[in-house]
Amino acid sequence: MLEVKGLQVAYGQVTAVWDVSITVAQGELVAVVGPNGAGKTSLVNTVAGLVPAQQGRIHFLGQDVTALPSHERVALGLCLCPEGRKLFPDMTVEENLRLGAYTWRDRSEIARRVEQVFALFPQLAERRAQVARTLSGGEQQMVALGRALMARPRLLLLDEPSLGLAPIVVTEMFRAIRKIHEAGTTVLMVEQNVHQTLEIAGRGYVIENGRIALAGTSGALQADPHMRTAYLGLGA
Amino acid sequence: MTAEILVQAMVLGLLQGGIYALVAAGLTLIYGVMKVVNFAHAEFLTLGMYLAFSAYTLLGVSPYLAAVFALGLVFVLGAAVQRTLIRPALRHPQINQLLITIGLSTMLIGAMQIIWGPRNYVVPLPWGRATLGLGDLRVTYTRLIAFGVAVAIAAGFWVFLKRARGGLAIRAAAQSPDAARLMGINVERVNLVTFGLGTGLAALAGALIAPVFFINPTFGIDYFLLPAFVIVVLGTMGNFVGAMVGGLVIGLAESFGGLLLGAALRQFASLAVFVLILLWLPRGVFGGRMT
Ligand SMILES: Nc1ncnc2c1ncn2[C@@H]1O[C@H](COP(=O)(O)OP(=O)(O)OP(=O)(O)O)[C@@H](O)[C@H]1O
Ligand SMILES: [Mg+2]
């Protein structure tokens, strides 16, 4: 479904991603983990088209999308729920959600999806007319995830959905992501919360200093000695 | 000072404020979406006045019909300006954009001077001086129409921003361009359309007031640039409703200022109100929020 080959990303003189290749097949939930500044956000932002690729190709559903602008990738079903949520701060919860379905035109279908998001996150329903700026961090993350779902993505990219959330909300977030995946959405997910991520992911990539340091099934990564000491806080 | 004079100042202030509001609405919209301060904004108003003048004197077309064409024509011109001059500068420091829009202002004034000459024109509507009497107060129909249409267009535009899919896209691009892209919005096209609409609204306002004021190449920059900026800052830059409220406030401040201090100092009064309000609310009346 997604094939990234030899990707290099740079900001001016600073190269953030070196020769990274990853694949995601239909129906998978794939994790990307790694320390701060490793280049995870640069990777998914480039896949979503917010940052240009210096080198390498990105194929989505068999089509070369490397040079396609972001909004056209969204229309193909490639949607990113970005790091730091990036909500529309002065819009209501409902307006934020409606914008998620911007590429769709059927109003009754859009209204139905809004209700589906409220079914997934009931506490948003009573806040539908509240402006996003005034929501708690957890609620904002729910809106961000719900907004990404509104587009009916074929591949959902998530960048640190648990960032800055209380443990109980983190658990709720992971439960929602698992539900979304089980309902048939393919997911590529960047996370620092390695333990919980590997619990729901089938496979994962470890990025360090802009390069893939390790890749494998969640089971293999959980058993890897380097992973156990550096990321999982366990003994080798 | 009698009550009638005060009422008259208030009515005239509101009538002028309605026009200010429409002009400032376009300016604030362009700033809100692109973060570009369009110093050439008032020239699009002047251009609208000239278009109405020529439509009337050459073709016998009513200025109010010409207003619609001015909106369409200047929409296209504004979009072309955005594509050729503004868009390449969006990646560059704000000072570059500033110099570009100031240069554009000078160019447009020069072009209008070449086309229409330096002298003052009036749109000689046969009923241009007819007035409506409201008790002791007399107001020209041309001012009433200009106010009514300006306020109606601004209100309609506000509904468009709030309700329509395109309006939602404009607000989204203003609040977070990258997030808007991730929603599937073509932000480059939103920028283009917003610049066209903003300048088109200024031209529309110009056509509406063409029967009210003397038209010359520097009319806009002389009488509308400063109030428009004051209004936009007062109403919080990028905030549409703020521009509406700010327009009326500045219209009133000028009118009462002219009454108390003499016509020559009317802008002093609006600047004084501006400074006082900003001392109290430094981020504008709407506290830095976007509509
Ligand atoms: N807009 C930018 N301009 C310049 N350098 C940048 C920019 N964005 C990221 N970088 C640099 O690129 C490198 C990778 O950053 P990136 O945000 O991709 O890392 P990350 O793995 O997502 O980190 P984190 O876990 O902290 O979110 C860092 O060295 C960072 O300083
Ligand atoms: Mg990151």
Side-chain angles (χ1 to χ4, degrees), chain B residues 28-84:
Chain B
T28 210
L29 204 66
I30 288 169
Y31 179 81
V33 171
M34 270 157 277
K35 307 292 175 279
V36 167
V37 180
N38 179 22
F39 278 98
H41 202 68
E43 275 57 69
F44 292 98
L45 171 115
T46 315
L47 184 57
M49 295 177 89
Y50 274 122
L51 289 173
F53 168 75
S54 288
Y56 185 77
T57 50
L58 300 179
L59 308 169
V61 172
S62 146
Y64 304 108
L65 183 59
V68 179
F69 289 104
L71 170 65
L73 214 67
V74 173
F75 175 91
V76 174
L77 177 68
V81 163
Q82 198 279 342
R83 185 68 190 78
T84 52

Side-chain angles (χ1 to χ4, degrees), chain A residues 55-119:
Chain A
Q55 267 174 45
R57 313 295 323 163
I58 302 164
H59 286 262
F60 181 63
L61 297 169
Q63 184 181 343
D64 188 340
V65 298
T66 318
L68 222 53
S70 279
H71 65 272
E72 289 181 31
R73 300 189 201 194
V74 174
L76 293 175
L78 182 56
C79 299
L80 167 66
C81 180
E83 184 175 67
R85 313 189 256 271
K86 299 253 165 57
L87 295 181
F88 301 106
D90 295 323
M91 291 199 204
T92 65
V93 168
E94 194 167 349
E95 285 174 322
N96 268 280
L97 293 179
R98 272 177 56 199
L99 272 161
Y102 185 81
T103 53
W104 299 77
R105 284 173 184 271
D106 182 346
R107 279 171 172 269
S108 58
E109 171 63 20
I110 292 170
R112 224 167 48 85
R113 288 184 200 171
V114 170
E115 297 313 317
Q116 284 172 354
V117 171
F118 290 153

Side-chain angles (χ1 to χ4, degrees), chain A residues 11-12 14-17 34-43 83 159-160 190 192:
Chain A
Y11 306 95
V14 186
T15 301
V17 173
N36 290 116
K40 307 177 297 294
T41 297
S42 304
L43 169 65
E83 184 175 67
D159 194 348
E160 302 211 28
V190 169
Q192 302 257 16

Side-chain angles (χ1 to χ4, degrees), chain A residues 123-196:
Chain A
Q123 82 187 86
L124 291 184
E126 63 209 58
R127 303 184 180 281
R128 61 195 305 161
Q130 191 173 330
V131 282
R133 180 168 29 78
T134 62
L135 296 170
S136 77
E139 289 158 355
Q140 289 190 10
Q141 187 59 53
M142 292 173 199
V143 175
L145 184 55
R147 187 180 66 173
L149 291 175
M150 290 293 296
R152 275 298 138 85
R154 298 203 217 213
L155 173 61
L156 177 60
L157 306 171
L158 298 173
D159 194 348
E160 302 211 28
S162 77
L163 188 70
L165 303 183
I168 184 161
V169 189
V170 172
T171 305
E172 187 177 351
M173 222 55 226
F174 275 97
R175 218 189 46 226
I177 293 164
R178 169 179 261 164
K179 237 183 185 169
I180 292 160
H181 175 236
E182 282 169 0
T185 306
T186 310
V187 180
L188 177 67
M189 174 176 176
V190 169
E191 256 302 337
Q192 302 257 16
N193 193 327
V194 180
H195 180 73
Q196 294 198 52

